[in-house]
């Protein structure tokens, strides 16, 4: 990659939680950082904090909601009016729901935010990613160990199961990312996946009994304790693998890999590499976007 101060880095969901802490670390390298989020008030507060704490004046806010195809396209358009090049795109914005929910486009919400949005944003930003000659995309995963993709359950067709539906959507995202890495390699754009580790954030603090399937409900008090507000301490720790993946020269020319919370390369579940599984996911994306997935 180019020198840190010449880089432009976009972090979706960079106005709170792990994304904000990732933006903090990346802004400290001197890069220009564009953080995105839905809420302008929260966004402006985050931008002010980022500038004050890092001393980097080149932190900008771009408002956008990635839960719909129109929202992703509008965000991409807003970003491309701000910059002619993007060196690093961190697809960090994610969704964890306690109740079944559908997006503006009528899609299961985990699929919409955690799978379709990173795919669509990468495609929509391809011209500005290609402009650098060696851009990188970092997709943020969740869940514990890499787990299997069930192609018959991409949008929770077998029933909504809260945390398990979230975890499965991240497995689907991992498989999608492997397909995307192959597609974008000829354009000089790499795609890697990072697991940040667990942190107390709005996402984890909002977890309720209805979001925990079956016997897992018994673990709610433990979750509450584990994810008690710590003023961003655990989010800062969790952000370390994202900061590493977005800034290290070790990943120059590296694509289609998965790195755990310690930035250690680990294998994904075999279904993530399965071309047939990938085809099913891309077909679902294509159908959801009315054929405009690529
Ligand atoms: N927290 C954990 O323990 C954990 C563990 C593993 C993986 N992860 C992953 O790490 C990533 C960040 O998680 P987090 O816990 O930091 O989440 P969070 O605290 O809920 O993230 C908040 C950030 O995302 C933005 N955001 C939320 N929904 C959005 C949407 N539809 N469109 C655009 N921006 C949106 C928020 O701003 P607005 O609210 O203003 O939009 C804010 O900037 C996610 O991909 C998550 O799955 C988290």
């Amino acid at each position: 990659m180019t020198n840190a101060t010449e880089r432009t880095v976009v972090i979706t969901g960079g106005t709170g939680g792990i994304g904000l802490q990732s933006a903090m670390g990346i802004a400290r390298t001197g890069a220009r950082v564009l953080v995105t989020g839905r809420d302008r008030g929260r966004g402006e507060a985050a931008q002010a904090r980022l500038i004050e704490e890092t001393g980097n004046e080149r932190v900008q806010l771009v408002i956008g909601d990635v839960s719909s195809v129109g929202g992703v396209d509008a965000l991409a358009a807003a970003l491309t009016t701000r910059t002619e090049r993007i060196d690093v795109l961190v697809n960090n914005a994610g969704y964890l729901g306690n109740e079944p929910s559908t997006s503006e486009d009528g899609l299961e919400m985990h699929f919409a935010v955690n799978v379709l949005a990173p795919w669509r944003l990468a495609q929509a930003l391809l011209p500005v990613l290609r402009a650098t000659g060696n851009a990188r995309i970092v997709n943020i995963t969740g869940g514990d160990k890499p787990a299997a993709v069930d192609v018959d359950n991409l949008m929770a067709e077998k029933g909504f199961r809260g945390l398990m539906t979230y975890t499965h959507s991240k497995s689907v995202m991992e498989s999608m990312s492997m397909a995307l890495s192959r597609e974008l390699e000829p354009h000089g754009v790499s795609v890697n996946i990072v697991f940040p580790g667990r942190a107390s954030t709005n996402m984890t603090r909002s977890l309720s009994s209805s979001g925990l399937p079956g016997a897992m409900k018994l673990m709610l008090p433990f979750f509450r304790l584990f994810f008690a507000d710590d003023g961003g301490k655990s989010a800062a720790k969790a952000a370390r693998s994202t900061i590493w993946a977005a800034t290290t020269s070790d990943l120059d020319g590296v694509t289609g890999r998965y790195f755990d919370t310690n930035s250690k390369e680990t294998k994904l579940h075999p279904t993530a590499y399965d071309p047939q599984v990938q085809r099913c996911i891309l077909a679902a994306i294509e159908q959801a976007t009315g054929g405009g997935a690529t």
Side-chain angles (χ1 to χ4, degrees), residues 100-180:
S101 174
T102 48
S103 71
E104 202 179 292
D105 306 311
L107 305 174
E108 196 285 315
M109 194 60 106
H110 291 87
F111 182 85
V113 177
N114 298 340
V115 182
L116 195 151
W119 169 274
R120 182 85 179 185
L121 195 57
Q123 302 289 349
L125 292 176
L126 192 53
V128 279
L129 287 162
R130 283 172 63 165
T132 69
N134 56 358
R136 62 177 68 167
I137 295 173
V138 180
N139 286 343
I140 305 303
T141 195
D144 189 359
K145 303 251 180 321
V149 173
D150 178 353
V151 293
D152 297 321
N153 197 28
L154 296 179
M155 294 193 222
E157 291 87 345
K158 293 185 177 174
F160 177 80
R161 295 185 67 221
L163 192 57
M164 305 317 289
T165 297
Y166 162 82
T167 303
H168 183 249
S169 73
K170 291 292 192 174
S171 299
V172 177
M173 183 278 286
E174 290 164 3
S175 188
M176 172 280 281
S177 299
M178 293 302 106
L180 187 63

Side-chain angles (χ1 to χ4, degrees), residues 13-19 36-39 42 64-67 92-95 113 140-143 166 170 195-199 201-204 227:
T15 61
I18 297 169
T36 87
R38 291 165 301 181
D39 185 85
R42 271 198 297 273
D65 185 341
V66 300
S67 68
N92 165 82
Y95 175 77
V113 177
I140 305 303
T141 195
Y166 162 82
K170 291 292 192 174
F195 177 69
R198 291 179 193 81
T201 64
N202 282 348
M203 176 184 277
T204 48
F227 292 123

Side-chain angles (χ1 to χ4, degrees), residues 205-225:
R205 287 194 296 272
S206 70
L207 199 59
S208 76
S209 163
S210 57
L212 294 171
M216 271 185 94
K217 287 189 198 312
L218 298 171
M219 292 173 74
L220 188 60
F222 166 76
F223 282 126
R224 288 255 157 85
L225 200 65

Side-chain angles (χ1 to χ4, degrees), residues 17-279:
I18 297 169
L20 172 62
Q21 296 298 335
S22 304
M24 215 49 102
I26 295 165
R28 285 199 179 98
T29 67
R32 179 183 180 210
V33 179
L34 283 75
V35 290
T36 87
R38 291 165 301 181
D39 185 85
R40 185 165 292 280
R42 271 198 297 273
E44 285 174 352
Q47 181 191 20
R49 200 178 141 194
L50 282 161
I51 292 171
E52 193 191 320
E53 289 188 27
T54 66
N56 184 340
E57 301 277 339
R58 298 192 307 148
V59 175
Q60 291 174 283
L61 171 68
V62 183
I63 297 298
D65 185 341
V66 300
S67 68
S68 69
V69 173
V72 174
D73 291 351
L75 178 63
L79 285 164
T80 47
T81 60
R82 302 283 190 102
T83 184
E84 286 173 0
R85 60 178 286 149
I86 293 175
D87 297 84
V88 185
L89 166 65
V90 182
N91 279 309
N92 165 82
Y95 175 77
L96 165 61
N98 289 301
E99 310 286 345
S101 174
T102 48
S103 71
E104 202 179 292
D105 306 311
L107 305 174
E108 196 285 315
M109 194 60 106
H110 291 87
F111 182 85
V113 177
N114 298 340
V115 182
L116 195 151
W119 169 274
R120 182 85 179 185
L121 195 57
Q123 302 289 349
L125 292 176
L126 192 53
V128 279
L129 287 162
R130 283 172 63 165
T132 69
N134 56 358
R136 62 177 68 167
I137 295 173
V138 180
N139 286 343
I140 305 303
T141 195
D144 189 359
K145 303 251 180 321
V149 173
D150 178 353
V151 293
D152 297 321
N153 197 28
L154 296 179
M155 294 193 222
E157 291 87 345
K158 293 185 177 174
F160 177 80
R161 295 185 67 221
L163 192 57
M164 305 317 289
T165 297
Y166 162 82
T167 303
H168 183 249
S169 73
K170 291 292 192 174
S171 299
V172 177
M173 183 278 286
E174 290 164 3
S175 188
M176 172 280 281
S177 299
M178 293 302 106
L180 187 63
S181 73
R182 264 199 329 274
E183 185 190 321
L184 300 191
E185 197 169 7
H187 300 290
V189 180
S190 69
V191 182
N192 292 295
I193 301 166
V194 163
F195 177 69
R198 291 179 193 81
S200 169
T201 64
N202 282 348
M203 176 184 277
T204 48
R205 287 194 296 272
S206 70
L207 199 59
S208 76
S209 163
S210 57
L212 294 171
M216 271 185 94
K217 287 189 198 312
L218 298 171
M219 292 173 74
L220 188 60
F222 166 76
F223 282 126
R224 288 255 157 85
L225 200 65
F226 189 77
F227 292 123
D229 198 351
D230 60 7
K233 215 169 138 196
S234 53
K237 192 171 169 212
R240 290 187 306 197
S241 50
T242 304
I243 297 166
W244 171 80
T247 60
T248 182
S249 56
D250 291 356
L251 289 189
D252 284 347
V254 172
T255 194
R257 311 283 178 88
Y258 166 65
F259 300 92
D260 69 12
T261 184
N262 298 312
S263 308
K264 184 173 166 286
E265 189 178 346
T266 309
K267 281 277 168 219
L268 292 165
H269 189 276
T271 50
Y273 306 105
D274 184 332
Q276 182 57 30
V277 170
Q278 293 170 2
R279 271 195 292 277

